[in-house]
Amino acid sequence: MTARTSPTERQRRVGAELRRMRVMADVSAESAAGVLGVSRSQLSSIEQGLRAVSEERLRTLAIHCGVTDETYVDSLATLAYPPERGWWEAYRGAIPSGLLDVAELEWHATRLRTVQTVHLPGLLHQGAYARAVFGSVIPALAASEVELRVAQRMQRRQVLEGDNAREYEGYVHEAALRMQFGGRRATREQLEHLCEVSEWDNITLRVLSVEAGAFPGAGHAMLYAEGAVRRLDTVQLDSAHGPEFTHTEPQLAKYRFHLDWMDQHALSVDASRDYIHAIARQL
């Protein structure tokens, strides 16, 4: 087993799942540690994502806890030991780790659902728009760091392309469509790009107009990343100090309700595309 000082969000999630597995089965820490052949402190480090656990030990703990859902266990093992090194690791140490955690979350998701209230969806950004978003950060970033973040954001888009393109469902508030990051031209080009990608088979974009009034979760953007099984779903929220992640069932249920609300109140796909076109023409 290898000790880590700063686990990624994926590593924290694996540890949290192992702890949840143990607690739901009413298995004591002493019993689990004994089965795995580790000390209590080592088990604690495993459950915090600070220490890796072998796939063999992961499966041994699942058996000891009476977990019979093989799909869940297989998916958890894949999450713990991805088959290849992620492209985002090339940015490790150069940009905030939270941005890398978001990219990794998207990569392991089977479907992505998002609500955007001020910014347009990050996965659909064009370079000029993304550059303006990062350029508005306080304190100001060095030009080189802005370019690194833009480059990393552009690479994130690969989850929407190719043979393994993820299904993407985005709800965008009208306010986000009218925010002019980068000026009129950059915003117009960004909106035109949204219209183009909204015609892709795997992308659904719908607009929530200001006439819809108040809506749940108005204070933040939200990404709902579906895992290989529902127990591995994750919600990511934007905040001033970086992305936040949650995956408890009560929280997941709340955000699924938010998405269901959006589905009922947002404009249709065609009406949304026309709406975006209309705003672009105004620019």
Side-chain angles (χ1 to χ4, degrees), residues 22 25-33 40 43 64:
R22 176 177 65 78
D26 198 25
V27 172
S28 69
E30 290 82 357
S31 175
R40 275 286 305 274
L43 178 66
H64 186 64

Side-chain angles (χ1 to χ4, degrees), residues 66-78:
V67 178
T68 58
D69 187 341
E70 294 183 7
T71 302
Y72 165 68
V73 176
D74 289 343
S75 300
L76 184 58
T78 299

Side-chain angles (χ1 to χ4, degrees), residues 113-116 121 124 168-174 177 194 198 203-209 259-273 275-276:
R113 306 174 73 192
T114 182
V115 176
Q116 298 293 324
L124 307 180
Y168 182 90
E169 179 182 287
Y171 296 95
V172 183
H173 194 273
E174 180 180 345
L177 298 174
L194 290 187
S198 71
I203 293 180
T204 300
L205 280 181
R206 296 176 62 190
V207 173
L208 184 70
S209 72
L259 289 162
D260 290 342
W261 190 97
M262 290 290 172
D263 182 57
Q264 295 172 21
H265 293 85
L267 300 177
S268 69
V269 171
D270 290 339
S272 294
R273 188 178 298 117
Y275 208 84
I276 298 172

Side-chain angles (χ1 to χ4, degrees), residues 4 7-24 32 36 42-54 58 61 65 72 75-81 231-232 234 247:
R4 305 187 184 99
T8 67
E9 183 59 32
R10 175 185 60 80
Q11 292 161 347
R12 293 190 190 94
R13 179 60 187 277
V14 171
E17 285 300 313
L18 294 177
R19 184 180 189 283
R20 186 177 297 158
M21 182 190 300
R22 176 177 65 78
V23 171
M24 290 180 63
L36 297 182
Q42 288 175 322
L43 178 66
S44 178
S45 293
I46 289 171
E47 293 182 345
Q48 294 177 64
L50 294 169
R51 182 181 290 271
V53 59
S54 68
L58 183 153
L61 182 62
C65 293
Y72 165 68
S75 300
L76 184 58
T78 299
L79 192 63
Y81 289 94
R231 290 171 66 173
L232 294 178
T234 302
H247 43 74

Side-chain angles (χ1 to χ4, degrees), residues 89-149:
E89 291 299 336
Y91 293 90
R92 182 77 57 190
I95 63 177
S97 59
L99 299 181
L100 309 185
D101 287 335
V102 173
E104 188 167 30
L105 175 65
E106 293 167 342
W107 186 262
H108 289 286
T110 57
R111 183 166 76 134
L112 299 164
R113 306 174 73 192
T114 182
V115 176
Q116 298 293 324
T117 58
V118 176
H119 300 99
L120 297 176
L123 276 175
L124 307 180
H125 281 183
Q126 293 284 74
Y129 186 91
R131 194 168 288 108
V133 170
F134 289 126
S136 66
V137 171
I138 297 178
L141 300 172
S144 59
E145 186 168 357
V146 169
E147 291 306 315
L148 273 174
R149 295 189 185 199

